[in-house]
Structure formats: structure tokens, C-alpha cells
Amino acid sequence: GHHGLRQALSFLKEGIRDFVVVDRLDRVGGLAWVRNANPTSKLQTELGVYHLQYDKDYQVPRATMKTWPTRDELLRHFDSVCTDFGILAHVQLRTEVTDISVVVGQPDKP
């Protein structure tokens, strides 16, 4: 969802390329925006603090988005940022995480 994509953008900005973003849905954006929101849903937090590039090095995308964007505008924004910044190369869609194991000190494990 939103926070996973924002974290991915932060990793890429810092030069970290060894990561995967996992989403059980078939597109980026998260359950809240892809499935739960309807076409008339709007962001209730101002865009200036919610857009994916929320960082001093990135401009607020005011030219392409309203202050309170709709679901469809946000989903287009997520798609655009993922394409423009190379996040999609790290995204695994239609994947559900059901278990996590921490592996430390085993060089033969990824």
C-alpha cells in the first residue's frame, strides 16, 4: 500500500536496491484505495503530506493532483511514481505473506 511504496521510494533514494515490496492485490495502491474506496472517495488528508514523494527533495505534484484527490487520482499517482522512479521492478503483486522467518548468520540463506 501507500506506506510500502513510500518506503520503497526511500530505499531507492538511499541507493538500496536489494528489497521486495509484496502486495496481495493485482495492482499497487493498497487495500484501502484499490478495494475499499469507491469512485467518489477522496483523500481526507491534504495531498501535501500524503503524496508518495513526501520529501524535501521532491515537489508536491500540484500540477497533476488536487488538494484532496479522488481514489482514481491517487491510484494514477501511485502507478506513475512506481513507473517513473523504478519501484515496479521491486514489486511482487498477487503475493500474500503468511509467515516470516528471521535468518541471521547463515551465509547460504538469502
Side-chain angles (χ1 to χ4, degrees):
H2 174 264
H3 291 292
L5 298 176
R6 187 180 276 185
Q7 184 62 58
L9 185 59
S10 177
F11 282 154
L12 292 173
K13 180 182 176 190
E14 297 299 323
I16 299 168
R17 306 260 182 276
D18 186 18
F19 69 91
V20 176
V21 176
V22 179
D23 199 314
R24 65 179 158 185
L25 302 178
D26 59 357
R27 69 174 297 182
V28 296
L31 188 64
W33 291 109
V34 174
R35 294 247 177 96
N36 294 345
N38 64 57
T40 62
S41 296
K42 289 188 176 185
L43 184 63
Q44 295 184 14
T45 302
E46 289 188 18
L47 173 67
V49 295
Y50 192 81
H51 65 95
L52 287 180
Q53 310 102 301
Y54 182 67
D55 184 296
K56 64 182 176 84
D57 295 332
Y58 301 114
Q59 295 293 316
V60 177
R62 294 197 191 283
T64 57
M65 298 181 74
K66 300 172 188 164
T67 302
W68 290 281
T70 65
R71 174 201 69 184
D72 293 341
E73 290 169 326
L74 278 171
L75 291 174
R76 280 193 300 273
H77 168 66
F78 296 155
D79 288 337
S80 174
V81 170
C82 286
T83 300
D84 293 350
F85 289 88
I87 295 171
L88 286 179
H90 299 273
V91 174
Q92 247 182 296
L93 297 172
R94 296 181 204 94
T95 303
E96 188 165 346
V97 176
T98 59
D99 188 45
I100 296 176
S101 297
V102 177
V103 179
V104 178
Q106 296 181 20
D108 60 321
K109 302 279 182 173

